[in-house]
Amino acid sequence: MKILKFGGTSVGSVENLHKVKEILTSDQEEKIVVCSAMSGVTDQLVRLVESIKFNNPEEITRSLHRLENKHYDVIDALVDNQEVKNTLKDGVSSIITEMFEVSSQEYSDIINSRIITFGETLLTYIFSGFLNSIGISNVLLDAKEFMHVDSVENPNIEKVRKKINKVLNDNIQSPIYITQGFVCIDENNQISHLKRGGSDYTATIIGAALNASEVQIWTDIDGLHNNDPRYVDGTHPIAHLTYNEAAELAYFGAKILHPQTVSPVVDKDIPVLLKNTFDPEAQGTVISNKVNRKGLKAISAKDGITAIKIKSNRMLMAHGYLRRIFEVFDNFNTSIDMITTSEIAISLTIDDTSNLDEIVKEIENYAEITVEQDHSIICIVGESVINDRNSYKLFEILNYIPVRMVSYGGSNNNISILVDTRDKIPTLRFLNERLFQIPEKAVV
Ligand code: ADP
Ligand code: ASP
Ligand code: MG
């Protein structure tokens, strides 16, 4: 059994859905296929939630009709048989009716999760029906019946395993099962979601639960690149990454992977392949335990970082002082990414500022605290990157860009710097040139 996940662009048009169909039928191995919503649909649903929050019935109606028409158009272009067309449109229409009903309720976190996960419901329903209509037999599974993860941070794989095995046993056997990414059920048995981009995570959770032979993540690029291709020209795909490298890159902003994607499969050593739906022959990236090459591999950037400086003349480094500071962050469920210290001050970064006011209030009782928003962590990653003979070149950045913090040696596999987000793109470009375009004569 293998798991294949197709992202928003891969399922984002009729033409692309045909490409997905080709990939699914290229071999006979039993598959679970995890699909995202069509690209743009989840963003639209996030806006719909705003209309629910601010009680705007006209906008809710407009938005749901737009969504219905968009999916009707897909059915029209995808399916030839008129009877099948009508059946699928009826199905979409009942999903939209349910969405109207949910949208009429008072806003809550559960309403939010119910609404924003409907994009996957709509797409998988249409795609499964289309495949069946052209003789590619498959079974549509409702992810809400088995993605009982309890906690998003630490999914209960055992529970998912029991539930999915039951669902598979209760359904007829099929070479292809199709299900929705992103949605999950929490510890209170309520509908929830795995955060934006979470379908990658759905795939690896299912992969771990079923001990899959591999998890394939199909997207719109030929694997994980050595730098962010949205900002830097001339990047290249990396053929092999270790789980550690992929986890660091995903956590520190490589958009191609949801930050938690690899964690469920690391212990089981299930390989994760990143593949391009538009160029299936391209090698892509394999993520596994195997260390193919040590040293510098890739750079990523994570935005939305807040830097906090805590200064105290009263013996900052005295026994127990750091614990007191960390306890404040812990009490407010806020995790810290980077830390640097001096004798009288500590600087640290967070990305979740929802409890920042309370944290500041608490720390102000015994230290001076300053907060700077809109920073980015630039992360340089590779097994033993700190031993790479070229990695010193990254510090040449200090000649050109004001660097707010540096973290070196926290792990052998990661060097991070913090810069103002305004300087992110120049930093990525500069590092790409210095670290990856090494002049011939410098290479021994
Ligand atoms: P999907 O909708 O298939 O989940 P995403 O948009 O989430 O796709 O991820 C793919 C995109 O990630 C690529 O189109 C690319 O622009 C972006 N990306 C950012 N950093 C990287 C990187 N280091 N390597 C490859 N792609 C990256
Ligand atoms: N559709 C969801 C999102 O846009 C989940 C995903 O695409 O992975 O975030
Ligand atoms: Mg994604």
Side-chain angles (χ1 to χ4, degrees):
M1 171 81 85
K2 60 186 180 185
I3 318 297
L4 287 79
K5 175 259 168 175
F6 292 89
T9 323
S10 304
V11 297
S13 70
V14 169
E15 193 191 343
N16 297 353
L17 285 169
H18 278 286
K19 296 199 161 81
V20 174
K21 178 200 79 184
E22 293 303 320
I23 293 166
L24 294 185
T25 49
S26 65
D27 69 53
Q28 299 307 312
E29 199 179 334
E30 199 178 30
K31 315 175 170 68
I32 297 212
V33 180
V34 174
C35 294
S36 299
M38 298 180 78
S39 53
V41 166
T42 311
D43 290 338
Q44 198 183 324
L45 294 173
V46 168
R47 289 194 292 276
L48 171 60
V49 167
E50 290 299 297
S51 307
I52 298 172
K53 231 184 208 168
F54 297 107
N55 197 9
N56 185 343
E58 291 84 19
E59 190 46 43
I60 292 172
T61 306
R62 258 197 304 275
S63 179
L64 286 174
H65 281 149
R66 252 199 320 271
L67 205 66
E68 186 171 51
N69 288 334
K70 180 181 174 86
H71 288 89
Y72 278 179
D73 289 348
V74 172
I75 295 169
D76 277 330
L78 197 59
V79 178
D80 293 330
N81 181 306
Q82 191 58 45
E83 217 173 300
V84 178
K85 253 187 218 212
N86 294 342
T87 312
L88 289 182
K89 283 189 181 176
D90 285 349
V92 165
S93 169
S94 9
I95 296 171
I96 298 284
T97 306
E98 192 186 338
M99 293 181 78
F100 265 109
E101 198 274 314
V102 178
S103 302
S104 68
Q105 297 176 33
E106 199 180 327
Y107 175 81
S108 68
D109 283 349
I110 295 169
I111 296 293
N112 175 53
S113 293
R114 286 189 72 184
I115 291 290
I116 64 172
T117 55
F118 266 116
E120 276 72 10
T121 313
L122 285 161
L123 182 277
T124 49
Y125 170 74
I126 294 173
F127 189 50
S128 166
F130 157 66
L131 291 180
N132 275 324
S133 77
I134 54 168
I136 301 172
S137 57
N138 73 90
V139 171
L140 179 62
L141 304 179
D142 181 354
K144 295 190 285 304
E145 287 182 13
F146 59 83
M147 280 296 289
H148 288 238
V149 295
D150 290 350
S151 138
V152 172
E153 270 65 42
N154 195 7
N156 186 339
I157 302 288
E158 209 36 56
K159 195 166 177 181
V160 176
R161 181 199 323 282
K162 285 192 187 125
K163 297 239 174 229
I164 196 166
N165 277 327
K166 177 166 186 333
V167 167
L168 290 173
N169 281 333
D170 290 349
N171 274 283
I172 53 161
Q173 211 176 347
S174 171
I176 300 177
Y177 297 93
I178 295 186
T179 195
Q180 307 80 28
F182 192 36
V183 69
C184 67
I185 303 293
D186 70 14
E187 63 275 29
N188 303 318
N189 230 0
Q190 297 290 357
I191 188 165
S192 185
H193 61 87
L194 299 172
K195 307 210 173 123
R196 293 305 303 270
S199 302
D200 301 334
Y201 196 25
T202 306
T204 51
I205 292 172
I206 297 177
L210 290 177
N211 255 323
S213 57
E214 64 184 37
V215 176
Q216 301 178 356
I217 306 225
W218 290 84
T219 181
D220 57 2
I221 191 165
D222 53 352
L224 196 142
H225 281 217
N226 66 315
N227 205 327
D228 195 322
R230 291 169 300 173
Y231 310 119
V232 179
D233 290 335
T235 60
H236 59 260
I238 302 169
H240 299 275
L241 284 171
T242 62
Y243 292 121
N244 287 338
E245 290 168 332
E248 297 265 20
L249 289 163
Y251 184 73
F252 286 107
K255 182 178 179 258
I256 185 170
L257 281 181
H258 178 279
Q260 281 156 284
T261 306
V262 297
S263 62
V265 294
V266 175
D267 288 345
K268 295 172 186 281
D269 201 7
I270 300 170
V272 178
L273 278 63
L274 309 184
K275 297 284 289 175
N276 188 350
T277 304
F278 310 110
D279 187 4
E281 297 308 315
Q283 193 181 2
T285 300
V286 181
I287 304 169
S288 70
N289 261 331
K290 206 162 140 213
V291 181
N292 272 61
R293 176 173 69 78
K294 291 197 173 183
L296 175 67
K297 291 270 181 66
I299 302 175
S300 62
K302 182 176 177 181
D303 295 336
I305 302 294
T306 298
I308 300 174
K309 185 186 282 169
I310 299 160
K311 204 171 154 212
S312 169
N313 296 325
R314 284 180 289 137
M315 292 198 297
L316 178 67
M317 294 308 148
H319 171 72
Y321 195 91
L322 284 178
R323 182 179 48 77
R324 249 174 103 190
I325 290 174
F326 291 146
E327 249 169 25
V328 176
F329 286 86
D330 192 33
N331 292 342
F332 288 103
N333 294 322
T334 302
S335 57
I336 296 169
D337 282 330
M338 273 176 88
I339 312 172
T340 56
T341 63
S342 79
E343 177 57 18
I344 58 156
I346 168 169
S347 274
L348 49 83
T349 68
I350 60 172
D351 68 349
D352 176 3
T353 52
S354 40
N355 294 319
L356 183 57
D357 291 347
E358 287 91 334
I359 291 171
V360 170
K361 219 190 252 162
E362 185 81 30
I363 292 179
E364 265 173 351
N365 289 326
Y366 50 89
E368 203 180 295
I369 176 164
T370 42
V371 173
E372 296 164 63
Q373 263 146 0
D374 298 325
H375 279 66
S376 298
I377 293 178
I378 313 283
C379 193
I380 293 100
V381 171
E383 294 281 339
S384 291
V385 69
I386 63 168
N387 299 320
D388 189 304
R389 55 197 298 279
N390 282 307
S391 66
Y392 75 91
K393 291 183 181 168
L394 93 90
F395 293 104
E396 289 174 22
I397 191 84
L398 295 171
N399 287 328
Y400 305 95
I401 301 235
V403 173
R404 173 69 182 74
M405 281 168 72
V406 176
S407 171
Y408 181 92
S411 109
N412 285 351
N413 309 330
N414 171 337
I415 307 169
S416 298
I417 60 175
L418 184 74
V419 298
D420 192 302
T421 298
R422 274 188 309 236
D423 295 324
K424 175 182 84 168
I425 296 176
T427 303
L428 288 175
R429 289 180 181 157
F430 177 90
L431 292 177
N432 208 55
E433 199 183 293
R434 283 296 194 279
L435 297 174
F436 292 106
Q437 286 159 27
I438 301 161
E440 276 303 284
K441 58 181 167 39
V443 183
V444 180

